Amino acid sequence: MLKGEYYCLVAGLPDLVFGQNSAPVKSRIFLEELRQQLHSSDYKLIEYLFLPFDNLNLLNILLKQNKPYFYPGIYSKQEIESQLSPDNEEMRLPQYMFIFMNQIKNSDPKPEDMEAENGLSILFYEHALNCSNTFLQQWFRFEINLKNVITAFNCKLYNYNLGEQLLKVNGANAVYTLLIENKLKPNYFEELLPYYDEVLKIADSELERLEKEKAIDKLKWLYLDEHTFFHFFTIEKILAYTIKLLLIERWMKLDKDTGKELLNKLIEEFTKNYEFPEEFNLIK
């Protein structure tokens, strides 16, 4: 397959709609289909979207969490475990994972689960921000900033240590710095964070955690639509489609009745110029 535009592939993709309660294809199957149809360098970009699942599996093994193996990932359980063997001579996992494994091996005492997860996330995002695709770089930067904003307001609400919870990622530090310095006025974020006003309103609202997650997912969906509007048959369109598919799968794991009710509520809230209802608090 020559790198470039994927007319047949994109034209044949089933429509995805925010709020649908079923996926047209399982992401694991879709990943295999992409592996067969995409240029190898484009497929490598798709893999970045699935590495967070491998991160969970790596944490599960290293920290002996005894959780079920999490699908979909790029690497099987056997592949990850083989890389942990002292006799292993072939590096198959990304470099950031080996850096993390060495950090865990040399740490005393061993980090708590959340500390380890944040450390691995930082290494992953620094790896991802160096990918060769501008759209994907911007997407991961947007995702980092969303995580940090929501985390910062949760820390404020529950009196957690902010410095211990935020992700300080090289290449995406501007929003992090504002949050650490407690500069939370919307105009500070105007040039740094798409939908900054809506994001801050969600973060500072009295919505339940699940409702906040749904509202943020809706913003992610809007972001993907806007940033691929002029991409028709390119890898960017396929990357955005894959992200949406993974979002839908996550929603499907929620309680069906609760998830459907929340999604319908969010769809209503976003029908008019992406305006939020009055129940959202304004940033002080």
Side-chain angles (χ1 to χ4, degrees):
M1 170 68 69
L2 294 175
K3 185 178 181 181
E5 297 194 332
Y6 300 95
Y7 298 102
C8 294
L9 176 59
V10 174
L13 292 175
D15 289 337
L16 297 179
V17 179
F18 182 79
Q20 69 186 76
N21 55 12
S22 63
V25 61
K26 290 184 177 180
S27 58
R28 186 69 193 178
I29 296 173
F30 187 60
L31 177 64
E32 178 59 25
E33 181 180 340
L34 294 180
R35 188 183 69 80
Q36 297 177 26
Q37 296 198 42
L38 296 180
H39 185 277
S40 59
S41 61
D42 284 339
Y43 178 74
K44 285 293 182 184
L45 297 175
I46 295 291
E47 286 187 337
Y48 281 97
L49 302 177
F50 289 83
L51 284 174
F53 303 117
D54 292 301
N55 293 343
L56 293 176
N57 292 327
L58 179 60
L59 287 167
N60 189 16
I61 295 170
L62 282 177
L63 302 181
K64 297 180 172 54
Q65 295 173 329
N66 298 317
K67 296 177 181 178
Y69 192 74
F70 200 99
Y71 290 97
I74 301 300
Y75 303 98
S76 68
K77 182 179 181 181
Q78 291 72 27
E79 286 176 314
I80 294 177
E81 289 178 334
S82 70
Q83 298 293 290
L84 300 175
S85 169
D87 300 325
N88 174 59
E89 296 181 353
E90 182 185 6
M91 284 181 53
R92 298 196 60 187
L93 302 179
Q95 178 66 28
Y96 78 89
M97 290 189 179
F98 286 99
I99 294 173
F100 178 74
M101 287 189 282
N102 286 330
Q103 288 177 352
I104 294 295
K105 179 181 178 182
N106 297 323
S107 62
D108 186 25
K110 299 301 181 189
E112 298 293 331
D113 286 7
M114 182 57 68
E115 180 186 355
E117 184 176 342
N118 285 347
L120 182 53
S121 293
I122 289 170
L123 290 171
F124 162 71
Y125 280 122
E126 289 178 347
H127 170 72
L129 289 176
N130 285 312
C131 74
S132 60
N133 183 273
T134 301
F135 166 79
L136 203 52
Q137 292 173 3
Q138 292 173 342
W139 164 255
F140 284 124
R141 189 170 288 107
F142 180 55
E143 190 173 61
I144 294 164
N145 291 334
L146 287 177
K147 286 178 183 288
N148 276 340
V149 169
I150 296 299
T151 299
F153 280 85
N154 285 340
C155 286
K156 178 177 131 184
L157 181 63
Y158 298 108
N159 199 29
Y160 293 151
N161 187 308
L162 193 61
E164 293 177 357
Q165 301 298 325
L166 296 186
L167 302 179
K168 187 179 181 181
V169 180
N170 290 330
N173 275 343
V175 169
Y176 167 88
T177 301
L178 288 175
L179 296 172
I180 285 290
E181 295 176 354
N182 202 33
K183 295 180 178 178
L184 303 179
K185 292 183 179 179
N187 59 294
Y188 290 145
F189 296 82
E190 186 172 359
E191 302 298 326
L192 300 174
L193 181 62
Y195 314 112
Y196 67 96
D197 197 38
E198 291 90 341
V199 172
L200 293 173
K201 288 176 183 177
I202 293 171
D204 196 40
S205 74
E206 296 181 357
L207 292 174
E208 296 295 329
R209 179 186 62 83
L210 190 58
E211 291 179 296
K212 285 187 178 182
E213 287 186 14
K214 290 294 181 181
I216 290 296
D217 281 351
K218 177 59 183 175
L219 288 181
K220 290 179 180 179
W221 197 282
L222 292 173
Y223 176 97
L224 293 169
D225 284 344
E226 290 190 5
H227 284 74
T228 55
F229 188 80
F230 294 106
H231 294 279
F232 300 105
F233 300 100
T234 64
I235 186 59
E236 288 77 14
K237 201 72 166 182
I238 299 168
L239 287 164
Y241 187 92
T242 305
I243 296 168
K244 289 180 176 180
L245 186 63
L246 292 171
L247 286 175
I248 289 174
E249 283 193 341
R250 186 162 72 89
W251 298 333
M252 288 169 59
K253 292 175 184 177
L254 299 172
D255 174 78
K256 288 185 178 179
D257 292 335
T258 302
K260 185 174 181 181
E261 179 182 347
L262 288 174
L263 286 171
N264 288 338
K265 179 179 178 181
L266 284 169
I267 291 169
E268 262 182 50
E269 291 171 354
F270 280 86
T271 53
K272 296 183 179 180
N273 299 322
Y274 316 143
E275 291 181 359
F276 281 70
E278 293 181 359
E279 67 190 67
F280 287 102
N281 296 331
L282 292 176
I283 307 299
K284 304 296 187 295

